[in-house]
Amino acid sequence: MRGTLNLLVPAALLAGIACQPQPAMPVVYGPWEEGLTLAYEDPSQPQPRRSEDRLQVRVARSALAPGPPNLVQLDFASLRGHMSVLVKHHDGGIDLIDESGRILARTLPTHFPDITQWVDHDTEYRVIGRASWEGASILPTTSDPVGVWVESRSPQGLRRRALYLPNLGEVESREERDGSWVVVNRLVARRFTDLPAIKRP
């Protein structure tokens, strides 16, 4: 009987530890899956300019580690050119950094969206609230359509609102124009693409 108890006690302890609530991983409010390619358009522009000004954002590299991603390289491309940026994810926050790791801008603060107000480069930001994205029909059924609206106010008083979705980042943004909110950027396509094959000599 004692031998059975000696076996049951460690098993019960392990089961108790396993049942303890685990800390939730912070939600990543930006694209991070390698190959994920997002396309954006400005609906306020007429065609064909709207299509000509389409912006493509591709996750070129993602430093994956246990838990959420850390360092992500995003490639931006349009008919006017292309550029790459590095972003660092940490506890819900997103920083734009240079090659040395120096912070150039803070897109979202650490512990977002629990942090509801912050300032970056003299621009004030505040969380407005959660909402389901009206354009979620272009997303797979596994994507969470509920995001967080953030309003920014520049030193000149210009106001802008952006909706951030988990694992995608900004999917829609609006500017205040003559007392009305006008959509100036919207995610219109989501897919996975591979880099083109490079022929080496």
Side-chain angles (χ1 to χ4, degrees):
M1 184 69 171
R2 180 172 294 179
T4 304
L5 284 175
N6 288 341
L7 291 174
L8 287 176
V9 170
L13 287 174
L14 286 174
I17 292 172
C19 292
Q20 293 295 318
Q22 301 297 317
M25 291 293 181
V27 177
V28 177
Y29 285 95
W32 59 270
E33 297 173 275
E34 283 192 5
L36 178 62
T37 304
L38 309 173
Y40 296 86
E41 289 183 359
D42 180 352
S44 70
Q45 292 182 343
Q47 291 288 14
R49 184 179 172 191
R50 181 191 307 179
S51 296
E52 292 170 351
D53 289 348
R54 175 182 281 214
L55 176 67
Q56 178 176 288
V57 180
R58 182 181 185 279
V59 180
R61 181 167 48 95
S62 183
L64 297 175
N70 187 346
L71 194 64
V72 175
Q73 177 185 324
L74 301 176
D75 289 347
F76 292 77
S78 70
L79 292 178
R80 292 189 298 274
H82 59 86
M83 64 177 292
S84 296
V85 300
L86 288 175
V87 294
K88 184 177 182 180
H89 295 272
H90 52 93
D91 296 326
I94 303 176
D95 290 336
L96 175 65
I97 64 173
D98 63 14
E99 293 288 346
S100 66
R102 182 172 60 94
I103 297 175
L104 303 175
R106 176 150 288 160
T107 305
L108 297 174
T110 304
H111 304 306
F112 175 84
D114 295 332
I115 299 297
T116 59
Q117 295 186 35
W118 68 97
V119 177
D120 184 59
H121 290 80
D122 296 327
T123 297
E124 299 176 356
Y125 297 85
R126 68 183 181 96
V127 172
I128 299 174
R130 296 183 180 274
S132 183
W133 185 41
E134 297 172 356
S137 60
I138 70 167
L139 305 178
T141 56
T142 54
S143 291
D144 186 352
V146 177
V148 180
W149 278 103
V150 173
E151 182 176 298
S152 63
R153 182 187 292 270
S154 72
Q156 295 76 29
L158 300 176
R159 292 201 300 166
R160 184 182 177 102
R161 291 179 176 175
L163 179 64
Y164 292 88
L165 287 189
N167 304 314
L168 290 173
E170 183 180 313
V171 294
E172 182 172 310
S173 58
R174 303 173 181 180
E175 288 183 355
E176 187 181 33
R177 297 180 180 174
D178 299 324
S180 300
W181 289 99
V182 179
V183 178
V184 294
N185 191 42
R186 178 180 285 152
L187 178 67
V188 295
R190 175 199 179 276
R191 65 188 187 283
F192 282 87
T193 58
D194 294 323
L195 285 173
I198 300 175
K199 295 182 179 179
R200 301 189 181 279

